[in-house]
Amino acid sequence: MSELMDLYQEVILDHNKKPRNRGTMDDADHEAKGDNPLCGDQLTLFVKMDGDRVTEIRFEGRGCAISVASASLMTETITGKSQAEIGTLYESFHELLTGDPSVAAEAGEELGKLRVFEGVREFPVRVKCATLAWHTLMAALEGKDASVTTE
Amino acid sequence: MTTLESSKHPRPAADERPPFDVERIRADFPALHQTVHGKPLAYLDNAASAQKPQAALDAETECYRRFYSNVHRGVHYLSEKATDAYEEARRKVQRFVNAAREEEMVFLRGTTEGINLVASTYGRQHVGAGDEVLITTMEHHSNIVPWQLLCEERGARLVVAPINDRGEVDVEEYERLLSERTRITAFTHVSNALGTINPVAEMIRLAHAKGVPVLVDGAQAVPHLDVDVQELGCDFYAFSSHKLFGPTGVGALYGRLDLLATMPPYQGGGEMIRSVTFEKTEFSPPPNRFEAGTPNIAGAIGMGAAIDYLQALDMSAVAAHEHDLLDYATAALEAIPEVRIIGTAETKASVISFVIGDIHAHDVGTILDREGVAVRAGHHCAQPVMDRFGLPATTRASFALYNTREEVDRLIAGVERVRELFG
């Protein structure tokens, strides 16, 4: 039962209930859709840039608590960050969820609040719920403006 | 959305339980006796796939250990034994759905392949540009996509009969949609996502009145209902072994012999030919024409053993037991605030799809899993059904003969736990 409590931490439940930066944007510089066909999770990201920095990001979509909270926390974390910083965060986040536990524990000081997703590693089938928003973000920043899928 | 009136499903008192020795049945299924995350397994995902009785496992193993060889080929002892056992399995499957002749039963990989076979053979033969194929909104993807592919290839139109808010086919509308251009119609006997038992006999009669042949997807029906293809009068009936407590990778298609006899082959290869030269190949008569290559011999024998197992039971007692579980679980779920049951048809099999407020089914599934309760969470390979009810996914509990009221109680406790966590 403690693994469940690690998965559904207060911060995650809160962001699921009250997602931050939810909505659309008419003048986005980048837009990308992501979906997780297995769960029916769907997500659209709208990103505004100033040069190489993300100045504003919003998301729209539906999904499980993990995917909604992940999208919400991601938007909070990356606002104001450069593409290079976001790339590092993305890798650290991935490591946190899927990498060697001892490495994951040390790496990614910069993850901050995102560490609440550490519990997901005990639920391998849910990893893609947590990473959907990030995959979609990377596609958006690469200017693919396309669809990504976890399958 | 209409919900079942609670008066229609009163929670039966403990002393009114139907007499049925479920513990004796459970003893026959080895996989049930394990713990998951430290809790005893409550396997409530039977509509996805069912667990296997020892008798079916033994039959498959015995085949490999004692009389395994290829079928219909050799003159040697083992080949003859394997052929006899394989053909005996065909007769078991035939008797199981009461087909008139064993040649009407084709062994395939499962329901999906059965539907694909009919779409690619009968379908290609009879469906042309401007023609129509009629299905319903509640179909599993396996009874949508093969017809969609056929219609795209032929320039035909896929027509879909609607369902009402209870998850029942609108039969009047179904009849109206049977047009002069309808070349074949396909629908499920029991909905995997909603549990609805369709009025298939009536729908078959309506289709036949307009000269339209019928394929019935029987995957969810055969483990729970007595199926008699002659009484139903359907032209094709497809089902899988794995939902029927038999091995995976095998299933059967019933086809009326006069139709099978005029249909072209599905795949080319060995077993399905009478003679081959580079100029011309003559095909075997049914069923071999449709069984190219070495079939799933041991699987078919295991499927036959699973059918033997089921038929040795009092199926009316089994049906009563499953219905008791359905009523018991329905009443208990309805009593929980925020729980909404999706699929409230008048006649239902032991499948309950539900949502809890706006909590996503995957979160529900994960929490139940940690309680040892296995359910399906998702769209159940029936996305149009989910769209019809405006939902991305549901949680689905589906009961089989070996499930108990205690397991239902654990499901209910798990649902309460979800509400507590997400409260």
Side-chain angles (χ1 to χ4, degrees):
Chain A
M1 196 48 68
S2 71
E3 281 177 355
L4 264 188
M5 302 309 282
D6 288 344
L7 179 68
Y8 294 111
Q9 296 194 27
E10 276 306 317
V11 179
I12 290 179
L13 293 172
D14 176 59
H15 275 260
N16 175 50
K17 206 167 258 182
K18 291 174 291 192
R20 324 296 199 260
N21 299 309
R22 189 169 218 169
T24 58
M25 207 189 283
D26 291 333
D27 53 348
D29 295 308
H30 297 298
E31 191 179 322
K33 283 186 201 304
D35 81 278
N36 181 343
L38 198 71
C39 323
D41 292 352
Q42 287 171 350
L43 180 82
T44 308
L45 285 182
F46 306 89
V47 188
K48 205 183 282 180
M49 309 285 293
D50 180 8
D52 159 72
R53 268 175 206 282
V54 171
T55 54
E56 209 183 334
I57 174 164
R58 293 208 191 125
F59 80 99
E60 209 183 38
R62 61 185 192 189
C64 65
I66 305 300
S67 75
V68 171
S70 176
S72 174
L73 276 156
M74 179 188 80
T75 60
E76 274 198 339
T77 312
I78 64 148
T79 304
K81 294 224 161 35
S82 71
Q83 292 221 33
E85 288 166 333
I86 291 169
T88 309
L89 269 175
Y90 172 74
E91 278 170 29
S92 302
F93 189 63
H94 227 269
E95 187 68 22
L96 179 77
L97 265 48
T98 61
D100 184 271
S102 56
V103 179
E106 287 170 28
E109 281 299 307
E110 69 281 11
L111 282 172
K113 260 192 190 176
L114 296 177
R115 294 204 80 93
V116 295
F117 290 100
E118 195 168 358
V120 178
R121 59 183 305 123
E122 296 302 328
F123 298 79
V125 295
R126 304 301 299 276
V127 167
K128 60 175 88 167
C129 307
T131 54
L132 175 64
W134 288 88
H135 288 305
T136 311
L137 175 67
M138 297 319 276
L141 294 182
E142 282 165 26
K144 284 181 185 162
D145 288 9
S147 293
V148 296
T149 173
T150 56
E151 293 303 297
Chain B
M1 176 74 46
T2 48
T3 51
L4 283 175
E5 292 161 40
S6 51
S7 60
K8 217 182 286 172
H9 286 268
R11 195 166 176 159
D15 57 356
E16 290 169 13
R17 289 182 193 188
F20 180 77
D21 191 357
V22 70
E23 289 309 323
R24 192 180 59 80
I25 303 254
R26 291 179 68 81
D28 295 331
F29 289 79
L32 297 178
H33 308 285
Q34 60 180 300
T35 55
V36 171
H37 305 302
K39 309 271 172 65
L41 168 67
Y43 187 78
L44 306 181
D45 194 19
N46 297 285
S49 203
Q51 301 299 340
K52 321 301 176 194
Q54 188 63 46
L57 304 176
D58 288 346
E60 210 179 358
T61 310
E62 277 301 282
C63 165
Y64 284 125
R65 286 172 63 97
R66 298 169 62 95
F67 55 88
Y68 179 72
S69 176
N70 213 327
V71 291
H72 303 145
R73 283 168 177 77
V75 293
H76 59 78
Y77 175 80
L78 284 183
S79 179
E80 197 179 310
K81 294 287 278 183
T83 303
D84 285 350
Y86 181 70
E87 291 304 324
E88 178 56 30
R90 193 190 305 281
R91 286 188 287 276
K92 286 175 184 176
V93 171
Q94 174 210 343
R95 287 194 295 269
F96 182 59
V97 294
N98 195 34
R101 303 171 61 127
E102 58 192 273
E103 298 94 312
E104 295 182 315
M105 304 310 303
V106 182
F107 275 127
L108 297 160
R109 280 187 295 150
T111 310
T112 298
E113 193 172 32
I115 298 169
N116 274 280
L117 184 152
V118 176
S120 333
T121 58
Y122 184 92
R124 283 207 181 117
Q125 228 174 3
H126 293 92
V127 177
D131 287 340
E132 294 172 0
V133 174
L134 178 59
I135 61 172
T136 81
T137 303
M138 73 167 73
E139 301 312 314
H140 186 281
H141 294 164
S142 62
N143 203 21
I144 299 173
V145 183
W147 305 113
Q148 218 162 31
L149 291 170
L150 172 71
C151 287
E152 271 169 28
E153 180 189 305
R154 293 284 148 169
R157 205 159 71 89
L158 187 65
V159 180
V160 184
I163 58 175
N164 64 21
D165 288 345
R166 299 164 64 97
E168 297 161 324
V169 173
D170 181 338
V171 177
E172 268 179 35
E173 193 58 14
Y174 173 79
E175 182 179 17
R176 202 185 62 74
L177 290 170
L178 284 161
S179 80
E180 283 178 1
R181 300 308 302 260
T182 312
R183 293 291 171 261
I184 187 164
T185 179
F187 44 80
T188 191
H189 196 160
V190 172
S191 159
N192 73 310
L194 302 166
T196 313
I197 302 176
N198 278 322
V200 284
E202 186 187 356
M203 291 167 76
I204 292 164
R205 188 179 57 73
L206 293 172
H208 283 177
K210 300 207 179 163
V212 179
V214 178
L215 177 142
V216 179
D217 169 355
Q220 296 293 339
V222 287
H224 309 290
L225 307 175
D226 267 331
V227 174
D228 182 330
V229 291
Q230 293 189 76
E231 196 182 301
L232 288 175
C234 56
D235 303 276
F236 301 101
Y237 195 98
F239 56 104
S240 301
S241 156
H242 73 97
K243 293 194 205 289
L244 195 55
F245 314 103
T248 56
V250 65
L253 171 73
Y254 158 79
R256 258 175 45 207
L257 191 58
D258 57 327
L259 293 179
L260 290 180
T262 57
M263 281 155 52
Y266 173 49
Q267 294 178 323
E271 179 108 5
M272 51 78 73
I273 47 87
R274 181 172 279 157
S275 71
V276 177
T277 66
F278 286 115
E279 288 70 41
K280 171 125 184 89
T281 294
E282 273 187 56
F283 305 116
S284 307
N288 293 13
R289 182 186 306 169
F290 304 104
E291 293 182 3
T294 296
N296 186 346
I297 301 164
I301 290 166
M303 181 180 184
I307 287 173
D308 282 345
Y309 177 84
L310 269 185
Q311 295 201 313
L313 300 172
D314 174 358
M315 279 309 282
S316 62
V318 168
H321 173 72
E322 290 178 351
H323 213 83
D324 173 69
L325 294 175
L326 175 69
D327 287 350
Y328 183 71
T330 301
L333 281 170
E334 277 178 344
I336 301 175
E338 294 179 72
V339 169
R340 184 159 64 102
I341 294 175
I342 310 300
T344 50
E346 201 68 48
T347 54
K348 272 185 75 171
S350 48
V351 170
I352 305 185
S353 258
F354 62 95
V355 292
I356 311 171
D358 57 1
I359 304 170
H360 195 280
H362 270 228
D363 296 314
V364 179
T366 291
I367 295 165
L368 290 177
D369 175 55
R370 293 285 149 157
E371 299 288 340
V373 180
V375 294
R376 179 82 182 264
H379 54 56
H380 318 298
C381 295
Q383 283 179 346
V385 175
M386 298 295 112
D387 291 344
R388 168 64 179 76
F389 289 96
L391 298 165
T394 67
T395 303
R396 179 187 70 187
S398 50
F399 310 111
L401 70 175
Y402 43 62
N403 290 124
T404 65
R405 283 191 175 203
E406 288 68 30
E407 289 175 316
V408 174
D409 291 341
R410 291 182 48 212
L411 166 72
I412 301 303
V415 169
E416 294 288 10
R417 171 91 182 115
V418 173
R419 293 185 63 237
E420 191 184 310
L421 203 60
F422 276 76

